[in-house]
Amino acid sequence: MERRPRGLVARASIAAGLFAVAVVPGWTLGDLAEQATDWPALDWLLTCGWSGLVVAAVAPRTSHRARDGLAGAVPLYGWYLAGVLSWRFALLPYRDWEPRRDELWRARWLSGDLVGYWRADHAPARPVTRATSPAGARRTR
């Protein structure tokens, strides 16, 4: 039996917490660096760099590429992207967005009570099996 997706309040609460983790440490580090060096550009570099690192780390699980971390380092757009990824990450393992083309091989469209959602879990490793036993196989040089 599969568990139900999170409700709107739970998903919004988790997304807000994830967004805070994605943005607040960068702001804090940037403010501390600016106070220590009196260089405002360092504040922006650290704030945007932190956002870019978080976006790059979370992006592969939310149907984005890790190189989108570069877009996450762009001022203001990076915070928007962090918000979108936080919203998506809060619903996992279910997805309410269509997977990218390179994810379709492992994605499955859910039916029944969960119609409208996708799952894209990694398939468990299957044990390696042989058609014949080693003793019964023909020997090669």
Side-chain angles (χ1 to χ4, degrees):
M1 181 176 148
E2 296 187 41
R3 62 183 178 92
R4 304 286 308 158
R6 291 179 185 91
L8 183 61
V9 174
R11 184 180 183 188
S13 300
I14 292 170
L18 291 171
F19 180 77
V21 168
V23 174
V24 172
W27 281 345
T28 305
L29 288 173
D31 287 342
L32 292 174
E34 183 181 7
Q35 289 174 0
T37 62
D38 290 329
W39 191 35
L42 185 60
D43 180 10
W44 276 101
L45 282 173
L46 288 174
T47 302
C48 294
W50 178 265
S51 178
L53 286 174
V54 171
V55 167
V58 174
R61 294 179 178 240
T62 57
S63 294
H64 284 270
R65 295 171 299 274
R67 68 178 180 220
D68 288 338
L70 295 174
V74 174
L76 300 179
Y77 178 70
W79 298 332
Y80 165 76
L81 194 55
V84 170
L85 297 183
S86 296
W87 181 252
R88 286 183 171 189
F89 197 81
L91 188 63
L92 291 179
Y94 298 103
R95 297 169 172 223
D96 58 357
W97 65 92
E98 189 173 339
R100 286 191 334 258
R101 293 184 83 135
D102 61 339
E103 293 178 319
L104 285 176
W105 66 272
R106 63 183 169 110
R108 58 191 163 108
W109 176 257
L110 301 177
S111 59
D113 292 340
L114 299 174
V115 73
Y117 290 103
W118 291 83
R119 291 274 314 235
D121 302 336
H122 291 286
R126 294 187 329 202
V128 177
T129 59
R130 284 181 247 187
T132 60
S133 66
R138 193 173 124 211
R139 291 199 170 246
T140 60
R141 290 185 177 207

